[in-house]
Amino acid sequence: MPAELIERDAVSRILAAARELFAEHGFDAVSMNAIAEAAGASKANIFHHFKNKDELYLAVLKTACANSCEQIERFGQDEGSFEQRLERYAAEHLNHILDNEQVTRLIQRDLLDNGPRRGRQFAEQVFGQNFGRLVEILREGQLRGELRQDIDPAQVALMIIGTNLTFFQAREVFRHFPDVNFAGSPETYSRMAMDIVLRGIQPHGTRNAEKE
Amino acid sequence: MPAELIERDAVSRILAAARELFAEHGFDAVSMNAIAEAAGASKANIFHHFKNKDELYLAVLKTACANSCEQIERFGQDEGSFEQRLERYAAEHLNHILDNEQVTRLIQRDLLDNGPRRGRQFAEQVFGQNFGRLVEILREGQLRGELRQDIDPAQVALMIIGTNLTFFQAREVFRHFPDVNFAGSPETYSRMAMDIVLRGIQPHGTRNAEKE
DNA sequence: GTCTATACAGGGATAGAC
DNA sequence: GTCTATCCCTGTATAGAC
């Protein structure tokens, strides 16, 4: 028996199977037959619980994003210096997208799709939540003079998120590049990237980035 | 008549239509019927020129990437200071991916479709070419002491490319974010991002980033 | 709620005339 | 090289029994 997620009700199994398959292959490449088989249910039963394929996809995205957003809420919450918070946020964010590979892929797919709008809202929700929290932290730091005034917090937030997303997206590719040593180590990558960013956004004349 | 690309031979029209549709909607979402209609040719004629759908897709990717790589060769070629070259490279790269939206989307899609699937090679080719050129420039700068020694050039290259790709990928989303002012202006975005990166990778104690 | 069986549309791909 | 017509399969979705 497929040991992974047995003993759960059909709806849960269907959602889990659908999430995995949609994330891996994309909406159009996945048939209801495949989902039914992976979920250990009949195709007709899926249609009993979800009106059609689109609605199933939407349900997958909805539960996945809700779960993801819940985790994001906790990023960078704790106390600590401005730099520590930022560094921690970046590390936690990278960790999060790697741990939730399926959701991340779903969202990236959705961002790429120009066609049916389907669940764009959820992609925007997750992306926007991360973005908003980061901007908040950065604004606060700016008020307290802990980063340059002549800088757009939104820009920095986007750089941090983007740097992490790039790692996620391209890690399998640059794993084969001779120049790259950090492919297998997100921690190293995150630390190095944030070292550059932090130094880049320091107020002019500051010099206290190292602490080890 | 569809004014865009008329008067060309069938193969060109087919490739152009296929590139547009694949980029927009993804491989599985596009039917040969749709391509035939968009290209103003019959489905049978497509199959006359391309063995099957996969081969057509591969041909699209191949020509698109070849064209793209040709342009990349010219990035950052000219003389100028290290910082100027880097800045120029970043700006040209962002410009390039925006101008070649279809190719960029094709590659991102291909990257996402991790499976035992198609032309991963092309993604590696384009990505790798950009990456390699950037690392080269950075190494050179490092030798001449124009950027920190304790930094991995590959890391910086990835940050620059990733920052640009993120702009491309998410610009439609953060266009609606109140915090973002640079959504419509890649030039502004690129300048601001590189300002941070350049300051972040300067040798300790340098202070000559501004020149205007 | 869950199944088997089935309807029916659209997909990729081919035959064969011109 | 290009077309029309057609094949056959797989996809989504439904009917109806249990």
Side-chain angles (χ1 to χ4, degrees), chain A residues 125-137:
Chain A
Q125 182 186 320
V126 171
F127 190 87
Q129 195 190 3
N130 265 308
F131 188 79
R133 292 259 313 120
L134 262 177
V135 169
E136 195 184 322
I137 295 177

Side-chain angles (χ1 to χ4, degrees), chain A residues 77-211:
Chain A
Q77 282 286 27
D78 291 328
E79 297 306 318
S81 79
F82 167 71
E83 290 192 350
Q84 284 171 335
R85 284 184 74 190
L86 259 196
E87 228 168 30
R88 191 145 24 86
Y89 195 103
E92 285 172 342
H93 176 252
L94 182 54
N95 224 40
H96 174 249
I97 60 180
L98 288 169
D99 281 348
N100 299 270
E101 174 158 3
Q102 289 178 2
V103 188
T104 308
R105 292 170 74 95
L106 281 173
I107 292 175
Q108 289 204 329
R109 283 222 146 79
D110 215 76
L111 276 178
L112 217 53
D113 273 346
N114 244 0
R117 281 294 177 235
R118 281 194 201 104
R120 179 75 135 234
Q121 28 168 345
F122 298 114
E124 293 190 7
Q125 182 186 320
V126 171
F127 190 87
Q129 195 190 3
N130 265 308
F131 188 79
R133 292 259 313 120
L134 262 177
V135 169
E136 195 184 322
I137 295 177
L138 287 160
R139 280 248 171 75
E140 206 181 304
Q142 212 166 30
L143 279 178
R144 297 204 302 232
E146 292 180 296
L147 85 162
R148 291 163 57 188
Q149 300 296 323
D150 62 334
I151 244 177
D152 185 346
Q155 172 86 38
V156 182
L158 203 59
M159 267 185 84
I160 293 174
I161 294 174
T163 298
N164 281 347
L165 283 178
T166 302
F167 182 87
F168 176 88
Q169 199 167 4
R171 82 207 121 118
E172 286 305 323
V173 174
F174 60 61
R175 166 161 269 132
H176 308 299
F177 289 179
D179 293 326
V180 175
N181 307 308
F182 47 77
S185 169
E187 300 81 14
T188 305
Y189 176 82
S190 186
R191 194 166 3 92
M192 284 166 60
M194 285 309 286
D195 179 52
I196 296 174
V197 171
L198 284 175
R199 195 181 299 266
I201 65 178
Q202 273 173 15
H204 301 42
T206 315
R207 180 124 327 125
N208 62 338
E210 317 303 306
K211 55 190 142 347

Side-chain angles (χ1 to χ4, degrees), chain A residues 28-29 105 108-109 111-114 148 152 155 158 162 166 172 174 180 192-193 195-196 199-200 207, chain B residues 24 28-29 105 108-109 112-113 131 148 152 155 158 162 166 173-174 192-193 195-196 199-200 207:
Chain A
D28 296 282
R105 292 170 74 95
Q108 289 204 329
R109 283 222 146 79
L111 276 178
L112 217 53
D113 273 346
N114 244 0
R148 291 163 57 188
D152 185 346
Q155 172 86 38
L158 203 59
T166 302
E172 286 305 323
F174 60 61
V180 175
M192 284 166 60
D195 179 52
I196 296 174
R199 195 181 299 266
R207 180 124 327 125
Chain B
E24 194 84 356
D28 296 282
R105 292 171 75 95
Q108 289 203 330
R109 280 222 149 79
L112 212 53
D113 289 347
F131 187 80
R148 291 163 57 189
D152 185 347
Q155 172 86 39
L158 203 59
T166 303
V173 173
F174 60 61
M192 285 165 59
D195 180 52
I196 296 174
R199 196 181 299 267
R207 182 121 324 126

